[in-house]
Amino acid sequence: MPRYLTPHFTLDELVASQTAARRGIDNTPPPDVLRNLQRLAQVLEEVRTRLGGLPLLISSGYRCPALNRAVKGAPNSLHMQGLAVDFTVPRFGTVLQTARAVAASGIAFNQVIHEFGSWVHLGLAPDGQPPAGEKLSIFTGTGYLSGLVGQPRLA
């Protein structure tokens, strides 16, 4: 039976990982991360509401350090603190449209990143820290670009 953190988001979906399952990595969050995941799920409820109540498809949430290394995540990734999630909302629009709508929604975020034209990364600031409000895009071969932009043409 799934453990709901909020009406639409479960702990299972925020810790699920095919890589962890394949490699036998235990991706169980410790208590401090569980509190962050509860907060993240509450923000995801806000995102869902602002996007017309449409379902979010979570592709990556919490990553324990071993899983973060396995997927080649950033060494300081907010995913390891339970403060970041990657998702799409196919019924809303493109990933870029979704990222822009989240950024314009008034939700306090640390980062909204349009990643590789494939998903939106939403990161929250740790408790007690002001959200940075960064809006970035990244594509293969570009590094991080300022703003929520479409893929540039590389020469």
Side-chain angles (χ1 to χ4, degrees):
M1 183 165 166
R3 177 172 171 209
Y4 280 87
L5 298 172
T6 61
H8 297 102
F9 298 97
T10 67
L11 178 59
D12 289 345
E13 74 183 309
L14 290 176
V15 301
S17 168
Q18 292 178 0
T19 301
R22 273 195 313 271
R23 296 187 182 195
I25 298 171
D26 180 1
N27 198 41
T28 303
D32 59 323
V33 170
L34 191 56
R35 284 189 296 278
N36 288 340
L37 288 170
Q38 178 74 47
R39 184 172 145 228
L40 181 62
Q42 290 168 348
V43 171
L44 290 173
E45 288 289 350
E46 287 184 60
V47 170
R48 182 182 164 108
T49 297
R50 304 284 172 96
L51 299 182
L54 296 171
L56 280 66
L57 303 178
I58 308 296
S59 55
S60 182
Y62 171 65
R63 299 181 200 145
C64 69
L67 177 57
N68 194 62
R69 283 189 300 276
V71 300
K72 297 180 174 42
N76 60 345
S77 173
L78 288 173
H79 285 277
M80 293 188 297
Q81 296 177 48
L83 292 171
V85 63
D86 299 332
F87 67 93
T88 58
V89 188
R91 291 177 44 204
F92 181 79
T94 66
V95 173
L96 180 56
Q97 290 168 329
T98 302
R100 286 177 173 166
V102 171
S105 71
I107 292 170
F109 58 86
N110 209 46
Q111 297 174 321
V112 171
I113 307 174
H114 173 222
E115 293 195 336
F116 307 100
S118 297
W119 64 84
V120 176
H121 169 94
L122 174 65
L124 304 181
D127 275 336
Q129 293 185 18
E134 290 182 306
K135 299 174 208 165
L136 304 167
S137 298
I138 188 170
F139 303 94
T140 302
T142 66
Y144 285 101
L145 305 170
S146 181
L148 297 169
V149 300
Q151 184 163 0
R153 295 180 198 192
L154 299 176

